[in-house]
Structures are given as structure tokens and as C-alpha cells.
Amino acid sequence: MLMRSLLLSNSVVFINALLSEERILVSIRVRPLNDKELGRNDSELEFINDTTIIYRSNVPAPDRSLYPTSYSFDHVFSTDCPTWKVYEESAKEVALSVLSGFNPSIFAYGQTSSGKTNTMTGITEYAVADIFDYIEEHKEREFVLKFSASEI
């Protein structure tokens, strides 16, 4: 059975294995800077478009490349992107695949304070609401759902 996955990382990265093509899609969600980071002017990321970010290091020139490093993903969510949009555009298809008999797995990975818990809480709430809405609309079917969550 194909397992569909979602991965959230430092700047919150998603991996979504699509059933139709069996390929991995990677999205990134960048959390807003906190007051301490704003005070240090830690803004090192520049959003080029919906798929590309540029990292500009604040490390002194002798210790780094003089050129910015660009990273491309299937989708980039900026710091002001609400969780519902991340869910709709990156996680919903994975979460709702359970209704087609798949065993989806949604998990988070990244450093402390990168926004994993906040993002996963929102995604879980939206997914559960959508699943129960679907069940309510399809009373002719019988559903058995199993859900587990853990934070390490």
C-alpha cells in the first residue's frame, strides 16, 4: 500500500507523495521572525516567487560564499501565510487520502521553535474537520478511523 507523507522542517517543509504520479512534492513554510531575531536584523531569506527563496548569509565574507544561495521547492509559503492556506495547498490531499483507503502519514521535523507544533495543530484541526464533514455527507458508507499523534 502506498503511504502518502507530509514533512515539516525548520522553515517548515512538506513532502507529499502523490498517488497519481508517485512523486514527492516539497513545500516550505517560513515562520515569522521573533522580536529577538528582528532586533538582530536576522532576515536572511528573500522570497523570489511561490517556488524559490534566496538565503543571504550574515556570516563575514571570508567565511562564506559571496553569492546568495537559492533554493527551489514545489511551493514556498511566506511568513504571513495562514495555516489554512498551507493545509489547502499542501496537506489536504494527503490527509483526505484516508477516505480512499490509504494510510496517510503527516509528520513534522525541524529545529526547536521552527513552527512545527503550530503548523501541525492547525493542519490536524482542518483535516479532522474535513474528514468528519465527508463522513456526515456519506451516511451510506461505514467508516472506521484510527488516528495517532506523538511529539518527540
Side-chain angles (χ1 to χ4, degrees):
M1 179 173 289
L2 175 68
M3 180 181 281
R4 306 178 101 195
S5 304
L6 175 72
L7 168 71
L8 306 172
S9 177
N10 305 0
S11 305
V12 196
V13 175
F14 309 97
I15 296 179
N16 176 358
L18 290 178
L19 175 64
S20 60
E21 299 178 30
E22 293 189 29
R23 69 185 191 113
I24 295 175
L25 298 178
V26 179
S27 298
I28 185 170
R29 181 185 193 189
V30 180
R31 70 162 172 78
L33 297 177
N34 60 36
D35 292 337
K36 191 177 194 181
E37 293 163 330
L38 287 170
R40 290 190 314 245
N41 195 24
D42 277 354
S43 182
E44 298 173 337
L45 295 177
E46 179 181 341
F47 298 89
I48 302 304
N49 55 39
D50 286 348
T51 61
T52 306
I53 58 173
I54 289 181
Y55 173 73
R56 299 182 190 280
S57 177
N58 288 335
V59 175
D63 298 327
R64 66 165 167 87
S65 168
L66 295 176
Y67 302 102
T69 305
S70 69
Y71 297 94
S72 293
F73 302 92
D74 291 294
H75 200 287
V76 172
F77 296 99
S78 66
T79 57
D80 61 349
C81 179
T83 302
W84 67 263
K85 185 173 181 182
V86 175
Y87 170 72
E88 286 290 329
E89 295 183 16
S90 288
K92 186 174 185 174
E93 184 179 358
V94 174
L96 296 184
S97 69
V98 71
L99 300 168
S100 298
F102 291 95
N103 295 318
S105 175
I106 299 175
F107 62 97
Y109 169 80
Q111 71 184 53
T112 302
S113 297
S114 61
K116 300 176 303 292
T117 301
N118 178 60
T119 300
M120 289 302 295
T121 299
I123 286 174
T124 301
E125 290 172 2
Y126 291 118
V128 168
D130 280 349
I131 290 167
F132 279 100
D133 286 347
Y134 183 89
I135 291 171
E136 187 65 30
E137 294 170 7
H138 295 86
K139 294 184 185 285
E140 72 282 358
R141 288 181 59 190
E142 184 175 316
F143 294 89
V144 176
L145 299 176
K146 295 180 182 179
F147 175 85
S148 64
S150 65
E151 186 170 349
I152 298 173

